[in-house]
PDB file of all heavy atoms in Angstrom:
ATOM      1  N   GLY A   1      91.276 102.680 104.365  1.00 97.00           N
ATOM      2  CA  GLY A   1      91.909 102.434 103.074  1.00 97.00           C
ATOM      3  C   GLY A   1      92.759 101.166 103.086  1.00 97.00           C
ATOM      4  O   GLY A   1      93.093 100.610 104.148  1.00 97.00           O
ATOM      5  N   TRP A   2      93.133 100.700 101.923  1.00 97.00           N
ATOM      6  CA  TRP A   2      93.854  99.465 101.815  1.00 97.00           C
ATOM      7  C   TRP A   2      95.230  99.581 102.456  1.00 97.00           C
ATOM      8  O   TRP A   2      95.900 100.588 102.321  1.00 97.00           O
ATOM      9  CB  TRP A   2      94.025  99.084 100.342  1.00 97.00           C
ATOM     10  CG  TRP A   2      92.761  98.619  99.696  1.00 97.00           C
ATOM     11  CD1 TRP A   2      91.843  99.399  99.041  1.00 97.00           C
ATOM     12  CD2 TRP A   2      92.239  97.312  99.714  1.00 97.00           C
ATOM     13  NE1 TRP A   2      90.783  98.645  98.632  1.00 97.00           N
ATOM     14  CE2 TRP A   2      90.986  97.356  99.015  1.00 97.00           C
ATOM     15  CE3 TRP A   2      92.669  96.093 100.208  1.00 97.00           C
ATOM     16  CZ2 TRP A   2      90.192  96.214  98.821  1.00 97.00           C
ATOM     17  CZ3 TRP A   2      91.879  94.938 100.025  1.00 97.00           C
ATOM     18  CH2 TRP A   2      90.678  95.030  99.333  1.00 97.00           C
ATOM     19  N   PRO A   3      95.642  98.514 103.150  1.00 98.00           N
ATOM     20  CA  PRO A   3      97.005  98.519 103.724  1.00 98.00           C
ATOM     21  C   PRO A   3      98.055  98.445 102.609  1.00 98.00           C
ATOM     22  O   PRO A   3      97.732  98.123 101.474  1.00 98.00           O
ATOM     23  CB  PRO A   3      97.038  97.288 104.651  1.00 98.00           C
ATOM     24  CG  PRO A   3      95.996  96.394 104.035  1.00 98.00           C
ATOM     25  CD  PRO A   3      94.937  97.284 103.475  1.00 98.00           C
ATOM     26  N   GLY A   4      99.323  98.682 102.984  1.00 97.00           N
ATOM     27  CA  GLY A   4     100.367  98.793 101.977  1.00 97.00           C
ATOM     28  C   GLY A   4     101.150  97.509 101.695  1.00 97.00           C
ATOM     29  O   GLY A   4     102.254  97.585 101.189  1.00 97.00           O
ATOM     30  N   TYR A   5     100.581  96.336 101.983  1.00 97.00           N
ATOM     31  CA  TYR A   5     101.305  95.103 101.723  1.00 97.00           C
ATOM     32  C   TYR A   5     101.377  94.841 100.230  1.00 97.00           C
ATOM     33  O   TYR A   5     100.429  95.003  99.489  1.00 97.00           O
ATOM     34  CB  TYR A   5     100.586  93.925 102.405  1.00 97.00           C
ATOM     35  CG  TYR A   5     100.377  94.122 103.883  1.00 97.00           C
ATOM     36  CD1 TYR A   5      99.084  94.433 104.403  1.00 97.00           C
ATOM     37  CD2 TYR A   5     101.409  93.969 104.781  1.00 97.00           C
ATOM     38  CE1 TYR A   5      98.901  94.593 105.720  1.00 97.00           C
ATOM     39  CE2 TYR A   5     101.210  94.144 106.123  1.00 97.00           C
ATOM     40  CZ  TYR A   5      99.970  94.450 106.610  1.00 97.00           C
ATOM     41  OH  TYR A   5      99.746  94.632 107.953  1.00 97.00           O
ATOM     42  N   LYS A   6     102.562  94.402  99.775  1.00 96.00           N
ATOM     43  CA  LYS A   6     102.777  94.090  98.382  1.00 96.00           C
ATOM     44  C   LYS A   6     103.602  92.796  98.244  1.00 96.00           C
ATOM     45  O   LYS A   6     104.425  92.501  99.118  1.00 96.00           O
ATOM     46  CB  LYS A   6     103.498  95.208  97.638  1.00 96.00           C
ATOM     47  CG  LYS A   6     102.640  96.475  97.454  1.00 96.00           C
ATOM     48  CD  LYS A   6     103.407  97.559  96.715  1.00 96.00           C
ATOM     49  CE  LYS A   6     102.497  98.739  96.364  1.00 96.00           C
ATOM     50  NZ  LYS A   6     101.837  99.327  97.537  1.00 96.00           N
ATOM     51  N   ASP A   7     103.324  92.057  97.202  1.00 96.00           N
ATOM     52  CA  ASP A   7     104.081  90.850  96.923  1.00 96.00           C
ATOM     53  C   ASP A   7     104.657  90.941  95.506  1.00 96.00           C
ATOM     54  O   ASP A   7     104.156  90.354  94.555  1.00 96.00           O
ATOM     55  CB  ASP A   7     103.153  89.604  97.052  1.00 96.00           C
ATOM     56  CG  ASP A   7     103.870  88.294  96.711  1.00 96.00           C
ATOM     57  OD1 ASP A   7     105.120  88.276  96.772  1.00 96.00           O
ATOM     58  OD2 ASP A   7     103.194  87.326  96.380  1.00 96.00           O
ATOM     59  N   GLU A   8     105.731  91.709  95.394  1.00 94.00           N
ATOM     60  CA  GLU A   8     106.311  91.946  94.059  1.00 94.00           C
ATOM     61  C   GLU A   8     107.040  90.755  93.525  1.00 94.00           C
ATOM     62  O   GLU A   8     107.124  90.522  92.309  1.00 94.00           O
ATOM     63  CB  GLU A   8     107.274  93.143  94.145  1.00 94.00           C
ATOM     64  CG  GLU A   8     106.612  94.467  94.560  1.00 94.00           C
ATOM     65  CD  GLU A   8     105.562  94.926  93.546  1.00 94.00           C
ATOM     66  OE1 GLU A   8     105.534  94.420  92.417  1.00 94.00           O
ATOM     67  OE2 GLU A   8     104.768  95.806  93.908  1.00 94.00           O
ATOM     68  N   ASP A   9     107.623  89.903  94.409  1.00 94.00           N
ATOM     69  CA  ASP A   9     108.369  88.727  93.927  1.00 94.00           C
ATOM     70  C   ASP A   9     107.501  87.510  93.707  1.00 94.00           C
ATOM     71  O   ASP A   9     107.981  86.479  93.223  1.00 94.00           O
ATOM     72  CB  ASP A   9     109.516  88.388  94.917  1.00 94.00           C
ATOM     73  CG  ASP A   9     109.020  88.028  96.309  1.00 94.00           C
ATOM     74  OD1 ASP A   9     107.797  87.945  96.520  1.00 94.00           O
ATOM     75  OD2 ASP A   9     109.881  87.873  97.226  1.00 94.00           O
ATOM     76  N   GLY A  10     106.232  87.610  94.021  1.00 94.00           N
ATOM     77  CA  GLY A  10     105.257  86.554  93.700  1.00 94.00           C
ATOM     78  C   GLY A  10     105.424  85.254  94.473  1.00 94.00           C
ATOM     79  O   GLY A  10     104.969  84.193  94.032  1.00 94.00           O
ATOM     80  N   ASP A  11     106.002  85.336  95.672  1.00 96.00           N
ATOM     81  CA  ASP A  11     106.204  84.129  96.466  1.00 96.00           C
ATOM     82  C   ASP A  11     105.012  83.816  97.381  1.00 96.00           C
ATOM     83  O   ASP A  11     105.008  82.823  98.139  1.00 96.00           O
ATOM     84  CB  ASP A  11     107.486  84.163  97.290  1.00 96.00           C
ATOM     85  CG  ASP A  11     107.447  85.256  98.372  1.00 96.00           C
ATOM     86  OD1 ASP A  11     106.505  86.064  98.368  1.00 96.00           O
ATOM     87  OD2 ASP A  11     108.386  85.282  99.192  1.00 96.00           O
ATOM     88  N   GLY A  12     103.998  84.661  97.316  1.00 97.00           N
ATOM     89  CA  GLY A  12     102.809  84.456  98.153  1.00 97.00           C
ATOM     90  C   GLY A  12     102.836  85.174  99.469  1.00 97.00           C
ATOM     91  O   GLY A  12     101.803  85.227 100.186  1.00 97.00           O
ATOM     92  N   PHE A  13     103.987  85.763  99.818  1.00 98.00           N
ATOM     93  CA  PHE A  13     104.137  86.467 101.072  1.00 98.00           C
ATOM     94  C   PHE A  13     104.327  87.962 100.823  1.00 98.00           C
ATOM     95  O   PHE A  13     104.940  88.373  99.831  1.00 98.00           O
ATOM     96  CB  PHE A  13     105.346  85.959 101.853  1.00 98.00           C
ATOM     97  CG  PHE A  13     105.252  84.532 102.298  1.00 98.00           C
ATOM     98  CD1 PHE A  13     105.659  83.507 101.471  1.00 98.00           C
ATOM     99  CD2 PHE A  13     104.723  84.215 103.545  1.00 98.00           C
ATOM    100  CE1 PHE A  13     105.578  82.197 101.882  1.00 98.00           C
ATOM    101  CE2 PHE A  13     104.641  82.904 103.981  1.00 98.00           C
ATOM    102  CZ  PHE A  13     105.074  81.881 103.138  1.00 98.00           C
ATOM    103  N   PRO A  14     103.840  88.832 101.735  1.00 97.00           N
ATOM    104  CA  PRO A  14     104.139  90.259 101.609  1.00 97.00           C
ATOM    105  C   PRO A  14     105.661  90.482 101.641  1.00 97.00           C
ATOM    106  O   PRO A  14     106.369  89.826 102.431  1.00 97.00           O
ATOM    107  CB  PRO A  14     103.447  90.875 102.808  1.00 97.00           C
ATOM    108  CG  PRO A  14     102.400  89.907 103.216  1.00 97.00           C
ATOM    109  CD  PRO A  14     102.968  88.564 102.886  1.00 97.00           C
ATOM    110  N   ASP A  15     106.139  91.390 100.828  1.00 96.00           N
ATOM    111  CA  ASP A  15     107.574  91.723 100.854  1.00 96.00           C
ATOM    112  C   ASP A  15     107.907  92.529 102.091  1.00 96.00           C
ATOM    113  O   ASP A  15     109.053  92.483 102.556  1.00 96.00           O
ATOM    114  CB  ASP A  15     107.925  92.498  99.583  1.00 96.00           C
ATOM    115  CG  ASP A  15     107.603  91.726  98.307  1.00 96.00           C
ATOM    116  OD1 ASP A  15     107.739  90.501  98.343  1.00 96.00           O
ATOM    117  OD2 ASP A  15     107.190  92.382  97.322  1.00 96.00           O
ATOM    118  N   ASN A  16     106.942  93.310 102.567  1.00 94.00           N
ATOM    119  CA  ASN A  16     107.172  94.137 103.724  1.00 94.00           C
ATOM    120  C   ASN A  16     106.026  93.929 104.721  1.00 94.00           C
ATOM    121  O   ASN A  16     104.871  94.173 104.376  1.00 94.00           O
ATOM    122  CB  ASN A  16     107.221  95.608 103.335  1.00 94.00           C
ATOM    123  CG  ASN A  16     107.429  96.540 104.508  1.00 94.00           C
ATOM    124  OD1 ASN A  16     107.665  96.102 105.616  1.00 94.00           O
ATOM    125  ND2 ASN A  16     107.347  97.847 104.274  1.00 94.00           N
ATOM    126  N   PHE A  17     106.327  93.422 105.903  1.00 94.00           N
ATOM    127  CA  PHE A  17     105.288  93.137 106.880  1.00 94.00           C
ATOM    128  C   PHE A  17     104.936  94.357 107.719  1.00 94.00           C
ATOM    129  O   PHE A  17     104.114  94.273 108.637  1.00 94.00           O
ATOM    130  CB  PHE A  17     105.669  91.986 107.783  1.00 94.00           C
ATOM    131  CG  PHE A  17     105.284  90.647 107.225  1.00 94.00           C
ATOM    132  CD1 PHE A  17     106.069  90.000 106.256  1.00 94.00           C
ATOM    133  CD2 PHE A  17     104.122  90.007 107.652  1.00 94.00           C
ATOM    134  CE1 PHE A  17     105.705  88.803 105.757  1.00 94.00           C
ATOM    135  CE2 PHE A  17     103.747  88.775 107.122  1.00 94.00           C
ATOM    136  CZ  PHE A  17     104.550  88.153 106.175  1.00 94.00           C
ATOM    137  N   LEU A  18     105.595  95.505 107.473  1.00 94.00           N
ATOM    138  CA  LEU A  18     105.278  96.704 108.239  1.00 94.00           C
ATOM    139  C   LEU A  18     105.258  97.933 107.304  1.00 94.00           C
ATOM    140  O   LEU A  18     106.112  98.820 107.412  1.00 94.00           O
ATOM    141  CB  LEU A  18     106.286  96.930 109.392  1.00 94.00           C
ATOM    142  CG  LEU A  18     105.842  97.992 110.427  1.00 94.00           C
ATOM    143  CD1 LEU A  18     104.576  97.540 111.160  1.00 94.00           C
ATOM    144  CD2 LEU A  18     106.978  98.240 111.400  1.00 94.00           C
ATOM    145  N   PRO A  19     104.272  97.993 106.429  1.00 97.00           N
ATOM    146  CA  PRO A  19     104.116  99.219 105.640  1.00 97.00           C
ATOM    147  C   PRO A  19     103.554 100.327 106.505  1.00 97.00           C
ATOM    148  O   PRO A  19     103.213 100.105 107.721  1.00 97.00           O
ATOM    149  CB  PRO A  19     103.130  98.815 104.556  1.00 97.00           C
ATOM    150  CG  PRO A  19     102.328  97.722 105.205  1.00 97.00           C
ATOM    151  CD  PRO A  19     103.272  96.991 106.084  1.00 97.00           C
ATOM    152  N   GLU A  20     103.447 101.518 105.980  1.00 97.00           N
ATOM    153  CA  GLU A  20     102.938 102.632 106.793  1.00 97.00           C
ATOM    154  C   GLU A  20     101.490 102.371 107.234  1.00 97.00           C
ATOM    155  O   GLU A  20     101.142 102.597 108.386  1.00 97.00           O
ATOM    156  CB  GLU A  20     103.000 103.941 105.972  1.00 97.00           C
ATOM    157  CG  GLU A  20     102.469 105.151 106.762  1.00 97.00           C
ATOM    158  CD  GLU A  20     102.583 106.425 105.938  1.00 97.00           C
ATOM    159  OE1 GLU A  20     103.043 106.372 104.789  1.00 97.00           O
ATOM    160  OE2 GLU A  20     102.188 107.510 106.475  1.00 97.00           O
ATOM    161  N   ILE A  21     100.673 101.896 106.313  1.00 98.00           N
ATOM    162  CA  ILE A  21      99.272 101.585 106.624  1.00 98.00           C
ATOM    163  C   ILE A  21      99.161 100.081 106.821  1.00 98.00           C
ATOM    164  O   ILE A  21      99.479  99.292 105.891  1.00 98.00           O
ATOM    165  CB  ILE A  21      98.322 102.051 105.518  1.00 98.00           C
ATOM    166  CG1 ILE A  21      98.559 103.534 105.207  1.00 98.00           C
ATOM    167  CG2 ILE A  21      96.876 101.796 105.932  1.00 98.00           C
ATOM    168  CD1 ILE A  21      98.302 104.444 106.369  1.00 98.00           C
ATOM    169  N   VAL A  22      98.720  99.648 107.994  1.00 98.00           N
ATOM    170  CA  VAL A  22      98.557  98.228 108.296  1.00 98.00           C
ATOM    171  C   VAL A  22      97.123  97.958 108.686  1.00 98.00           C
ATOM    172  O   VAL A  22      96.275  98.857 108.809  1.00 98.00           O
ATOM    173  CB  VAL A  22      99.527  97.780 109.403  1.00 98.00           C
ATOM    174  CG1 VAL A  22     100.981  98.010 108.988  1.00 98.00           C
ATOM    175  CG2 VAL A  22      99.239  98.540 110.699  1.00 98.00           C
ATOM    176  N   LEU A  23      96.832  96.708 108.930  1.00 98.00           N
ATOM    177  CA  LEU A  23      95.490  96.314 109.368  1.00 98.00           C
ATOM    178  C   LEU A  23      95.283  96.704 110.811  1.00 98.00           C
ATOM    179  O   LEU A  23      96.116  96.419 111.664  1.00 98.00           O
ATOM    180  CB  LEU A  23      95.317  94.794 109.215  1.00 98.00           C
ATOM    181  CG  LEU A  23      95.403  94.250 107.784  1.00 98.00           C
ATOM    182  CD1 LEU A  23      95.395  92.727 107.818  1.00 98.00           C
ATOM    183  CD2 LEU A  23      94.248  94.780 106.930  1.00 98.00           C
ATOM    184  N   ALA A  24      94.188  97.380 111.086  1.00 98.00           N
ATOM    185  CA  ALA A  24      93.795  97.651 112.466  1.00 98.00           C
ATOM    186  C   ALA A  24      93.095  96.410 112.995  1.00 98.00           C
ATOM    187  O   ALA A  24      91.944  96.146 112.642  1.00 98.00           O
ATOM    188  CB  ALA A  24      92.878  98.878 112.550  1.00 98.00           C
ATOM    189  N   SER A  25      93.798  95.633 113.805  1.00 97.00           N
ATOM    190  CA  SER A  25      93.279  94.359 114.246  1.00 97.00           C
ATOM    191  C   SER A  25      93.384  94.273 115.736  1.00 97.00           C
ATOM    192  O   SER A  25      94.128  95.010 116.397  1.00 97.00           O
ATOM    193  CB  SER A  25      94.022  93.225 113.586  1.00 97.00           C
ATOM    194  OG  SER A  25      95.417  93.322 113.858  1.00 97.00           O
ATOM    195  N   GLY A  26      92.659  93.345 116.305  1.00 97.00           N
ATOM    196  CA  GLY A  26      92.702  93.100 117.736  1.00 97.00           C
ATOM    197  C   GLY A  26      91.962  91.816 118.090  1.00 97.00           C
ATOM    198  O   GLY A  26      91.440  91.099 117.186  1.00 97.00           O
ATOM    199  N   SER A  27      91.939  91.512 119.344  1.00 97.00           N
ATOM    200  CA  SER A  27      91.271  90.317 119.811  1.00 97.00           C
ATOM    201  C   SER A  27      90.211  90.698 120.831  1.00 97.00           C
ATOM    202  O   SER A  27      90.341  91.695 121.532  1.00 97.00           O
ATOM    203  CB  SER A  27      92.263  89.343 120.445  1.00 97.00           C
ATOM    204  OG  SER A  27      91.632  88.160 120.892  1.00 97.00           O
ATOM    205  N   ASN A  28      89.152  89.911 120.924  1.00 95.00           N
ATOM    206  CA  ASN A  28      88.074  90.270 121.840  1.00 95.00           C
ATOM    207  C   ASN A  28      88.343  89.821 123.273  1.00 95.00           C
ATOM    208  O   ASN A  28      87.501  90.020 124.161  1.00 95.00           O
ATOM    209  CB  ASN A  28      86.718  89.735 121.356  1.00 95.00           C
ATOM    210  CG  ASN A  28      86.654  88.208 121.393  1.00 95.00           C
ATOM    211  OD1 ASN A  28      87.521  87.528 121.938  1.00 95.00           O
ATOM    212  ND2 ASN A  28      85.615  87.675 120.797  1.00 95.00           N
TER     213      ASN A  28
END
């Protein structure tokens, strides 16, 4: 499902960089 990042102030950056649901990412 979609992660919980939101940009309510419209500055181009997520307002919260650690929502409950985040991207499952890694490096090879």
Side-chain angles (χ1 to χ4, degrees):
W2 288 91
Y5 305 105
K6 290 181 172 56
D7 177 22
E8 299 297 345
D9 60 6
D11 65 351
F13 295 89
D15 302 325
N16 179 7
F17 273 81
L18 193 65
E20 180 179 1
I21 307 298
V22 299
L23 297 172
S25 57
S27 181
N28 66 11

